[in-house]
């Protein structure tokens, strides 16, 4: 069967060849553990039960997780094993089940997610790059409780240069609208989000204007009360040294420019990061833990 589960629409027969994302027909995972350093409303006090999937349908030149996204590090598992991993994370005390970059495996993981939800289970967090097919997202309705997408770029030339997707914002904005349709309201338990859509934007060096434009769009189209995480953790990784424009950390002035825009717009649910949250030491080792 040809694969059209993401906006690339590459049509690969993944039983015989890898898709544009690099993935074959089997689920591939690089790590599953309690992640303490997500946003406070995701990690909570006990940690988010985070499952890192290998491969990616974006080609971000600066990806911190390039070992798994670009190089494909990971271990192939069955849907039954995925179900077991989710159960094990729950037994360890996880606040939720956090699926990181699951887009290209949705048809394979959906049966396991549905089985897990039948038994009750923890809230399911869909943690993605924002480059999503609306049709694929519709198959997740009633299964995913919290959507946690990136909104990386506003301008086509920027997204084409740094992630190989000139249509990124058009695709991402439609995807976020679908996520908001599915989960329009917020619910919390002990400060941890159990229902809702929270957006992430990584501020990039020399590109603070992208964050400003994105916040303007969010306030106008999704409302000022949307939860937004403005991240300052950018570290030049992978192929970033080939692009002088982004081959340095974000400055305080750049980061504050985006924060000030959120304040000017009157957005009360914007989360920020401390200056020290930068460096490759914040990237987990993809050592097959919990797989």
């Amino acid at each position: 069967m040809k694969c059209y589960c993401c906006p690339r629409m590459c049509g690969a027969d993944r039983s015989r060849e890898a898709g544009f994302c690099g993935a074959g027909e089997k689920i591939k995972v690089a790590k599953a553990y309690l992640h303490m350093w997500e946003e406070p409303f995701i990690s909570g006090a006990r940690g988010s039960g985070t499952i890192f999937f290998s491969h990616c349908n974006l080609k971000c030149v600066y990806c911190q997780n390039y070992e798994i996204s670009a190089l494909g590090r990971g271990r192939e598992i069955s849907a039954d094993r995925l179900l077991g991993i989710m159960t094990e994370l729950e037994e360890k005390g996880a606040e939720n089940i956090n699926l990181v970059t699951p887009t290209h495996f949705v048809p394979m993981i959906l049966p396991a997610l549905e089985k897990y939800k039948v038994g009750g289970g923890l809230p399911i967090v869909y943690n993605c790059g924002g480059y999503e097919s609306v049709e694929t997202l519709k198959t997740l309705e009633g299964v995913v409780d919290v959507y946690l997408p990136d909104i990386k770029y506003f301008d086509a030339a920027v997204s084409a240069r740094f992630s190989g997707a000139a249509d990124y914002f058009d695709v991402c904005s439609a995807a976020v609208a679908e996520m908001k349709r599915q989960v329009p309201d917020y619910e919390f338990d002990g400060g941890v989000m159990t229902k809702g859509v929270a957006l992430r934007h990584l501020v990039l060096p020399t590109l603070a204007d992208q964050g400003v434009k994105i916040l303007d769009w969010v306030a106008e189209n999704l409302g000022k009360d949307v939860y937004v995480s403005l991240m300052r953790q950018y570290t030049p990784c992978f192929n970033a040294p080939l692009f002088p424009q982004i081959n340095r950390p974000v400055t305080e002035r750049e980061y504050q420019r985006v924060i000030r825009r959120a304040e000017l717009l009157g957005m009360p649910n914007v989360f920020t990061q401390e200056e020290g949250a930068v460096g490759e030491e914040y990237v987990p080792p993809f050592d097959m833990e919990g797989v």
Side-chain angles (χ1 to χ4, degrees):
M1 182 179 293
K2 293 184 176 182
C3 183
Y4 299 105
C5 72
C6 94
R8 298 289 183 182
M9 301 291 283
C10 71
D13 179 353
R14 286 169 55 181
S15 67
R16 306 171 70 175
E17 61 179 338
F20 177 91
C21 60
E25 65 176 339
K26 293 185 178 179
I27 302 165
K28 198 172 184 181
V29 172
K31 192 179 185 74
Y33 79 129
L34 297 182
H35 193 342
M36 300 302 300
W37 306 111
E38 297 280 43
E39 287 79 2
F41 57 82
I42 297 295
S43 283
R46 300 191 304 270
S48 179
T50 305
I51 303 172
F52 285 92
F53 292 89
S54 306
H55 305 296
C56 186
N57 69 344
L58 287 172
K59 300 299 179 184
C60 302
V61 299
Y62 51 83
C63 182
Q64 289 188 335
N65 295 347
Y66 68 91
E67 278 190 69
I68 62 173
S69 64
L71 304 184
R73 181 173 173 78
R75 180 177 296 156
E76 292 183 342
I77 63 171
S78 65
D80 284 343
R81 176 57 193 143
L82 179 62
L83 180 60
I85 290 171
M86 293 189 286
T87 302
E88 290 162 13
L89 289 169
E90 181 176 352
E91 290 171 349
K92 290 177 181 178
E95 300 277 7
N96 44 50
I97 301 298
N98 183 357
L99 311 174
V100 180
T101 324
T103 305
H104 42 290
F105 291 118
V106 166
M108 297 84 160
I109 68 176
L110 187 54
L113 298 178
E114 291 173 335
K115 286 182 182 179
Y116 180 74
K117 295 293 284 188
V118 166
L122 300 171
I124 300 292
V125 179
Y126 190 88
N127 183 340
C128 65
Y131 197 62
E132 308 292 318
S133 161
V134 169
E135 289 72 24
T136 298
L137 289 173
K138 287 180 178 178
T139 68
L140 296 167
E141 186 167 5
V143 176
V144 170
D145 300 287
V146 176
Y147 281 103
L148 189 62
D150 291 336
I151 302 189
K152 295 178 182 291
Y153 318 100
F154 188 88
D155 294 331
V158 180
S159 60
R161 179 169 174 77
F162 297 118
S163 290
D167 60 347
Y168 178 86
F169 183 76
D170 289 341
V171 168
C172 183
S173 56
V176 168
E178 170 61 20
M179 295 172 186
K180 194 66 175 168
R181 183 197 67 79
Q182 290 184 24
V183 195
D185 302 315
Y186 291 104
E187 295 180 12
F188 293 85
D189 182 4
V192 177
M193 189 180 292
T194 57
K195 292 281 186 182
V197 177
L199 311 176
R200 282 175 165 170
H201 176 68
L202 176 64
V203 181
L204 296 173
T206 75
L207 293 169
D209 65 310
Q210 297 300 293
V212 169
K213 293 175 181 179
I214 286 167
L215 288 174
D216 286 347
W217 179 85
V218 170
E220 181 177 351
N221 292 274
L222 302 178
K224 296 181 180 182
D225 291 336
V226 172
Y227 275 67
V228 178
S229 175
L230 294 178
M231 301 181 292
R232 70 186 303 166
Q233 68 195 49
Y234 177 78
T235 302
C237 290
F238 192 34
N239 289 324
L242 302 177
F243 298 83
Q245 181 183 2
I246 60 169
N247 191 29
R248 62 164 174 81
V250 173
T251 65
E252 180 68 14
R253 182 175 181 178
E254 289 167 332
Y255 189 60
Q256 288 299 325
R257 180 183 172 196
V258 185
I259 293 175
R260 285 195 301 271
R261 190 62 175 185
E263 293 172 345
L264 181 64
L265 290 167
M267 302 178 73
N269 299 318
V270 172
F271 287 74
T272 59
Q273 282 185 317
E274 297 178 356
E275 187 173 359
V278 177
E280 293 191 36
E281 63 269 23
Y282 288 94
V283 179
F286 297 113
D287 51 9
M288 311 307 131
E289 176 185 358
V291 180

PDB file of all heavy atoms in Angstrom, residues 230-235 249-253 255-256 259 272-279 281-282:
ATOM      1  N   LEU A 230       7.148  29.521  24.078  1.00  0.00           N
ATOM      2  CA  LEU A 230       8.199  30.181  23.305  1.00  0.00           C
ATOM      3  C   LEU A 230       9.543  29.658  23.795  1.00  0.00           C
ATOM      4  O   LEU A 230       9.960  29.942  24.918  1.00  0.00           O
ATOM      5  CB  LEU A 230       8.118  31.697  23.481  1.00  0.00           C
ATOM      6  CG  LEU A 230       6.862  32.371  22.914  1.00  0.00           C
ATOM      7  CD1 LEU A 230       6.895  33.857  23.201  1.00  0.00           C
ATOM      8  CD2 LEU A 230       6.731  32.111  21.413  1.00  0.00           C
ATOM      9  N   MET A 231      10.222  28.911  22.951  1.00  0.00           N
ATOM     10  CA  MET A 231      11.440  28.222  23.355  1.00  0.00           C
ATOM     11  C   MET A 231      12.687  29.000  22.931  1.00  0.00           C
ATOM     12  O   MET A 231      12.749  29.512  21.807  1.00  0.00           O
ATOM     13  CB  MET A 231      11.462  26.814  22.759  1.00  0.00           C
ATOM     14  CG  MET A 231      10.269  25.964  23.191  1.00  0.00           C
ATOM     15  SD  MET A 231      10.318  24.289  22.519  1.00  0.00           S
ATOM     16  CE  MET A 231      10.064  24.613  20.777  1.00  0.00           C
ATOM     17  N   ARG A 232      13.650  29.054  23.836  1.00  0.00           N
ATOM     18  CA  ARG A 232      14.916  29.730  23.532  1.00  0.00           C
ATOM     19  C   ARG A 232      16.079  28.747  23.531  1.00  0.00           C
ATOM     20  O   ARG A 232      17.243  29.147  23.626  1.00  0.00           O
ATOM     21  CB  ARG A 232      15.170  30.838  24.563  1.00  0.00           C
ATOM     22  CG  ARG A 232      15.506  30.330  25.952  1.00  0.00           C
ATOM     23  CD  ARG A 232      15.596  31.430  26.967  1.00  0.00           C
ATOM     24  NE  ARG A 232      16.559  32.456  26.623  1.00  0.00           N
ATOM     25  CZ  ARG A 232      16.632  33.651  27.220  1.00  0.00           C
ATOM     26  NH1 ARG A 232      15.787  33.955  28.182  1.00  0.00           N
ATOM     27  NH2 ARG A 232      17.537  34.520  26.863  1.00  0.00           N
ATOM     28  N   GLN A 233      15.795  27.474  23.414  1.00  0.00           N
ATOM     29  CA  GLN A 233      16.807  26.434  23.591  1.00  0.00           C
ATOM     30  C   GLN A 233      17.618  26.144  22.329  1.00  0.00           C
ATOM     31  O   GLN A 233      18.417  25.201  22.303  1.00  0.00           O
ATOM     32  CB  GLN A 233      16.136  25.142  24.062  1.00  0.00           C
ATOM     33  CG  GLN A 233      15.233  24.505  23.007  1.00  0.00           C
ATOM     34  CD  GLN A 233      14.307  23.452  23.579  1.00  0.00           C
ATOM     35  OE1 GLN A 233      13.637  23.677  24.579  1.00  0.00           O
ATOM     36  NE2 GLN A 233      14.280  22.283  22.952  1.00  0.00           N
ATOM     37  N   TYR A 234      17.424  26.938  21.291  1.00  0.00           N
ATOM     38  CA  TYR A 234      18.122  26.652  20.037  1.00  0.00           C
ATOM     39  C   TYR A 234      19.633  26.546  20.237  1.00  0.00           C
ATOM     40  O   TYR A 234      20.283  27.428  20.808  1.00  0.00           O
ATOM     41  CB  TYR A 234      17.847  27.744  18.996  1.00  0.00           C
ATOM     42  CG  TYR A 234      18.624  27.514  17.715  1.00  0.00           C
ATOM     43  CD1 TYR A 234      18.200  26.570  16.793  1.00  0.00           C
ATOM     44  CD2 TYR A 234      19.803  28.209  17.460  1.00  0.00           C
ATOM     45  CE1 TYR A 234      18.917  26.331  15.638  1.00  0.00           C
ATOM     46  CE2 TYR A 234      20.526  27.977  16.300  1.00  0.00           C
ATOM     47  CZ  TYR A 234      20.084  27.033  15.398  1.00  0.00           C
ATOM     48  OH  TYR A 234      20.807  26.792  14.263  1.00  0.00           O
ATOM     49  N   THR A 235      20.170  25.428  19.754  1.00  0.00           N
ATOM     50  CA  THR A 235      21.606  25.177  19.759  1.00  0.00           C
ATOM     51  C   THR A 235      22.001  24.741  18.352  1.00  0.00           C
ATOM     52  O   THR A 235      21.366  23.830  17.800  1.00  0.00           O
ATOM     53  CB  THR A 235      21.971  24.057  20.752  1.00  0.00           C
ATOM     54  OG1 THR A 235      21.523  24.436  22.062  1.00  0.00           O
ATOM     55  CG2 THR A 235      23.461  23.802  20.777  1.00  0.00           C
ATOM     56  N   PRO A 249      23.718  30.793  18.994  1.00  0.00           N
ATOM     57  CA  PRO A 249      22.524  30.809  19.843  1.00  0.00           C
ATOM     58  C   PRO A 249      21.686  32.051  19.597  1.00  0.00           C
ATOM     59  O   PRO A 249      22.138  33.036  19.005  1.00  0.00           O
ATOM     60  CB  PRO A 249      23.103  30.809  21.269  1.00  0.00           C
ATOM     61  CG  PRO A 249      24.499  30.302  21.120  1.00  0.00           C
ATOM     62  CD  PRO A 249      24.966  30.781  19.773  1.00  0.00           C
ATOM     63  N   VAL A 250      20.472  32.020  20.084  1.00  0.00           N
ATOM     64  CA  VAL A 250      19.579  33.172  20.021  1.00  0.00           C
ATOM     65  C   VAL A 250      20.027  34.205  21.059  1.00  0.00           C
ATOM     66  O   VAL A 250      20.418  33.847  22.175  1.00  0.00           O
ATOM     67  CB  VAL A 250      18.134  32.731  20.312  1.00  0.00           C
ATOM     68  CG1 VAL A 250      17.198  33.927  20.433  1.00  0.00           C
ATOM     69  CG2 VAL A 250      17.640  31.803  19.212  1.00  0.00           C
ATOM     70  N   THR A 251      19.981  35.463  20.694  1.00  0.00           N
ATOM     71  CA  THR A 251      20.349  36.509  21.648  1.00  0.00           C
ATOM     72  C   THR A 251      19.158  36.844  22.547  1.00  0.00           C
ATOM     73  O   THR A 251      17.997  36.565  22.205  1.00  0.00           O
ATOM     74  CB  THR A 251      20.797  37.796  20.931  1.00  0.00           C
ATOM     75  OG1 THR A 251      19.674  38.339  20.212  1.00  0.00           O
ATOM     76  CG2 THR A 251      21.946  37.507  19.967  1.00  0.00           C
ATOM     77  N   GLU A 252      19.467  37.456  23.674  1.00  0.00           N
ATOM     78  CA  GLU A 252      18.413  37.905  24.582  1.00  0.00           C
ATOM     79  C   GLU A 252      17.489  38.895  23.879  1.00  0.00           C
ATOM     80  O   GLU A 252      16.259  38.865  24.062  1.00  0.00           O
ATOM     81  CB  GLU A 252      19.040  38.547  25.816  1.00  0.00           C
ATOM     82  CG  GLU A 252      18.036  39.061  26.835  1.00  0.00           C
ATOM     83  CD  GLU A 252      17.249  37.965  27.522  1.00  0.00           C
ATOM     84  OE1 GLU A 252      17.649  36.783  27.422  1.00  0.00           O
ATOM     85  OE2 GLU A 252      16.214  38.278  28.149  1.00  0.00           O
ATOM     86  N   ARG A 253      18.070  39.767  23.086  1.00  0.00           N
ATOM     87  CA  ARG A 253      17.263  40.765  22.379  1.00  0.00           C
ATOM     88  C   ARG A 253      16.284  40.098  21.415  1.00  0.00           C
ATOM     89  O   ARG A 253      15.120  40.512  21.331  1.00  0.00           O
ATOM     90  CB  ARG A 253      18.179  41.721  21.622  1.00  0.00           C
ATOM     91  CG  ARG A 253      17.448  42.827  20.892  1.00  0.00           C
ATOM     92  CD  ARG A 253      18.436  43.818  20.265  1.00  0.00           C
ATOM     93  NE  ARG A 253      17.745  44.904  19.586  1.00  0.00           N
ATOM     94  CZ  ARG A 253      18.360  45.917  18.996  1.00  0.00           C
ATOM     95  NH1 ARG A 253      19.688  45.973  18.997  1.00  0.00           N
ATOM     96  NH2 ARG A 253      17.662  46.871  18.398  1.00  0.00           N
ATOM     97  N   TYR A 255      15.047  37.006  21.561  1.00  0.00           N
ATOM     98  CA  TYR A 255      14.032  36.282  22.317  1.00  0.00           C
ATOM     99  C   TYR A 255      13.012  37.242  22.936  1.00  0.00           C
ATOM    100  O   TYR A 255      11.805  37.007  22.867  1.00  0.00           O
ATOM    101  CB  TYR A 255      14.715  35.439  23.396  1.00  0.00           C
ATOM    102  CG  TYR A 255      13.791  34.484  24.116  1.00  0.00           C
ATOM    103  CD1 TYR A 255      13.106  33.486  23.421  1.00  0.00           C
ATOM    104  CD2 TYR A 255      13.620  34.565  25.491  1.00  0.00           C
ATOM    105  CE1 TYR A 255      12.267  32.607  24.079  1.00  0.00           C
ATOM    106  CE2 TYR A 255      12.786  33.690  26.164  1.00  0.00           C
ATOM    107  CZ  TYR A 255      12.114  32.705  25.454  1.00  0.00           C
ATOM    108  OH  TYR A 255      11.278  31.831  26.114  1.00  0.00           O
ATOM    109  N   GLN A 256      13.506  38.327  23.507  1.00  0.00           N
ATOM    110  CA  GLN A 256      12.616  39.290  24.141  1.00  0.00           C
ATOM    111  C   GLN A 256      11.694  39.963  23.134  1.00  0.00           C
ATOM    112  O   GLN A 256      10.578  40.363  23.482  1.00  0.00           O
ATOM    113  CB  GLN A 256      13.418  40.343  24.909  1.00  0.00           C
ATOM    114  CG  GLN A 256      14.068  39.826  26.174  1.00  0.00           C
ATOM    115  CD  GLN A 256      13.058  39.316  27.189  1.00  0.00           C
ATOM    116  OE1 GLN A 256      11.949  39.851  27.322  1.00  0.00           O
ATOM    117  NE2 GLN A 256      13.445  38.270  27.916  1.00  0.00           N
ATOM    118  N   ILE A 259       8.713  37.711  22.961  1.00  0.00           N
ATOM    119  CA  ILE A 259       7.955  37.794  24.211  1.00  0.00           C
ATOM    120  C   ILE A 259       7.154  39.097  24.271  1.00  0.00           C
ATOM    121  O   ILE A 259       5.980  39.108  24.656  1.00  0.00           O
ATOM    122  CB  ILE A 259       8.900  37.683  25.425  1.00  0.00           C
ATOM    123  CG1 ILE A 259       9.502  36.277  25.494  1.00  0.00           C
ATOM    124  CG2 ILE A 259       8.152  38.003  26.723  1.00  0.00           C
ATOM    125  CD1 ILE A 259      10.534  36.118  26.584  1.00  0.00           C
ATOM    126  N   THR A 272       7.714  30.727  28.812  1.00  0.00           N
ATOM    127  CA  THR A 272       9.046  31.080  28.332  1.00  0.00           C
ATOM    128  C   THR A 272      10.091  30.194  29.001  1.00  0.00           C
ATOM    129  O   THR A 272       9.814  29.533  30.011  1.00  0.00           O
ATOM    130  CB  THR A 272       9.366  32.550  28.610  1.00  0.00           C
ATOM    131  OG1 THR A 272       9.284  32.785  30.024  1.00  0.00           O
ATOM    132  CG2 THR A 272       8.372  33.466  27.900  1.00  0.00           C
ATOM    133  N   GLN A 273      11.297  30.191  28.455  1.00  0.00           N
ATOM    134  CA  GLN A 273      12.400  29.402  28.993  1.00  0.00           C
ATOM    135  C   GLN A 273      13.481  30.301  29.573  1.00  0.00           C
ATOM    136  O   GLN A 273      13.705  31.411  29.076  1.00  0.00           O
ATOM    137  CB  GLN A 273      13.031  28.537  27.891  1.00  0.00           C
ATOM    138  CG  GLN A 273      12.231  27.299  27.553  1.00  0.00           C
ATOM    139  CD  GLN A 273      12.975  26.415  26.550  1.00  0.00           C
ATOM    140  OE1 GLN A 273      13.535  26.913  25.590  1.00  0.00           O
ATOM    141  NE2 GLN A 273      12.976  25.123  26.781  1.00  0.00           N
ATOM    142  N   GLU A 274      14.151  29.775  30.583  1.00  0.00           N
ATOM    143  CA  GLU A 274      15.269  30.498  31.158  1.00  0.00           C
ATOM    144  C   GLU A 274      16.460  30.472  30.213  1.00  0.00           C
ATOM    145  O   GLU A 274      16.597  29.582  29.370  1.00  0.00           O
ATOM    146  CB  GLU A 274      15.655  29.885  32.503  1.00  0.00           C
ATOM    147  CG  GLU A 274      14.552  29.976  33.555  1.00  0.00           C
ATOM    148  CD  GLU A 274      14.967  29.322  34.858  1.00  0.00           C
ATOM    149  OE1 GLU A 274      16.073  28.742  34.913  1.00  0.00           O
ATOM    150  OE2 GLU A 274      14.173  29.385  35.814  1.00  0.00           O
ATOM    151  N   GLU A 275      17.353  31.418  30.392  1.00  0.00           N
ATOM    152  CA  GLU A 275      18.494  31.574  29.497  1.00  0.00           C
ATOM    153  C   GLU A 275      19.402  30.352  29.495  1.00  0.00           C
ATOM    154  O   GLU A 275      20.015  30.027  28.495  1.00  0.00           O
ATOM    155  CB  GLU A 275      19.300  32.822  29.891  1.00  0.00           C
ATOM    156  CG  GLU A 275      20.410  33.171  28.907  1.00  0.00           C
ATOM    157  CD  GLU A 275      21.071  34.486  29.245  1.00  0.00           C
ATOM    158  OE1 GLU A 275      20.666  35.131  30.229  1.00  0.00           O
ATOM    159  OE2 GLU A 275      22.004  34.873  28.515  1.00  0.00           O
ATOM    160  N   GLY A 276      19.494  29.646  30.609  1.00  0.00           N
ATOM    161  CA  GLY A 276      20.436  28.528  30.700  1.00  0.00           C
ATOM    162  C   GLY A 276      19.995  27.261  30.003  1.00  0.00           C
ATOM    163  O   GLY A 276      20.760  26.296  29.922  1.00  0.00           O
ATOM    164  N   ALA A 277      18.767  27.227  29.488  1.00  0.00           N
ATOM    165  CA  ALA A 277      18.239  25.997  28.882  1.00  0.00           C
ATOM    166  C   ALA A 277      18.739  25.822  27.450  1.00  0.00           C
ATOM    167  O   ALA A 277      17.969  25.629  26.518  1.00  0.00           O
ATOM    168  CB  ALA A 277      16.716  26.033  28.913  1.00  0.00           C
ATOM    169  N   VAL A 278      20.045  25.879  27.277  1.00  0.00           N
ATOM    170  CA  VAL A 278      20.658  25.800  25.951  1.00  0.00           C
ATOM    171  C   VAL A 278      21.837  24.842  26.014  1.00  0.00           C
ATOM    172  O   VAL A 278      22.582  24.821  26.991  1.00  0.00           O
ATOM    173  CB  VAL A 278      21.143  27.193  25.472  1.00  0.00           C
ATOM    174  CG1 VAL A 278      21.848  27.088  24.135  1.00  0.00           C
ATOM    175  CG2 VAL A 278      19.973  28.159  25.375  1.00  0.00           C
ATOM    176  N   GLY A 279      22.016  24.043  24.963  1.00  0.00           N
ATOM    177  CA  GLY A 279      23.169  23.156  24.903  1.00  0.00           C
ATOM    178  C   GLY A 279      22.777  21.733  24.564  1.00  0.00           C
ATOM    179  O   GLY A 279      21.656  21.294  24.834  1.00  0.00           O
ATOM    180  N   GLU A 281      23.619  19.141  25.952  1.00  0.00           N
ATOM    181  CA  GLU A 281      23.412  18.299  27.124  1.00  0.00           C
ATOM    182  C   GLU A 281      21.923  18.149  27.455  1.00  0.00           C
ATOM    183  O   GLU A 281      21.539  17.264  28.227  1.00  0.00           O
ATOM    184  CB  GLU A 281      24.157  18.862  28.343  1.00  0.00           C
ATOM    185  CG  GLU A 281      23.688  20.224  28.815  1.00  0.00           C
ATOM    186  CD  GLU A 281      24.448  21.374  28.166  1.00  0.00           C
ATOM    187  OE1 GLU A 281      25.014  21.168  27.068  1.00  0.00           O
ATOM    188  OE2 GLU A 281      24.462  22.478  28.750  1.00  0.00           O
ATOM    189  N   TYR A 282      21.080  19.004  26.874  1.00  0.00           N
ATOM    190  CA  TYR A 282      19.646  18.895  27.107  1.00  0.00           C
ATOM    191  C   TYR A 282      18.982  17.917  26.130  1.00  0.00           C
ATOM    192  O   TYR A 282      17.776  17.683  26.218  1.00  0.00           O
ATOM    193  CB  TYR A 282      18.988  20.272  27.009  1.00  0.00           C
ATOM    194  CG  TYR A 282      19.318  21.160  28.179  1.00  0.00           C
ATOM    195  CD1 TYR A 282      20.383  22.058  28.117  1.00  0.00           C
ATOM    196  CD2 TYR A 282      18.602  21.085  29.367  1.00  0.00           C
ATOM    197  CE1 TYR A 282      20.710  22.873  29.206  1.00  0.00           C
ATOM    198  CE2 TYR A 282      18.921  21.888  30.451  1.00  0.00           C
ATOM    199  CZ  TYR A 282      19.973  22.779  30.363  1.00  0.00           C
ATOM    200  OH  TYR A 282      20.297  23.573  31.445  1.00  0.00           O
TER     201      TYR A 282
END
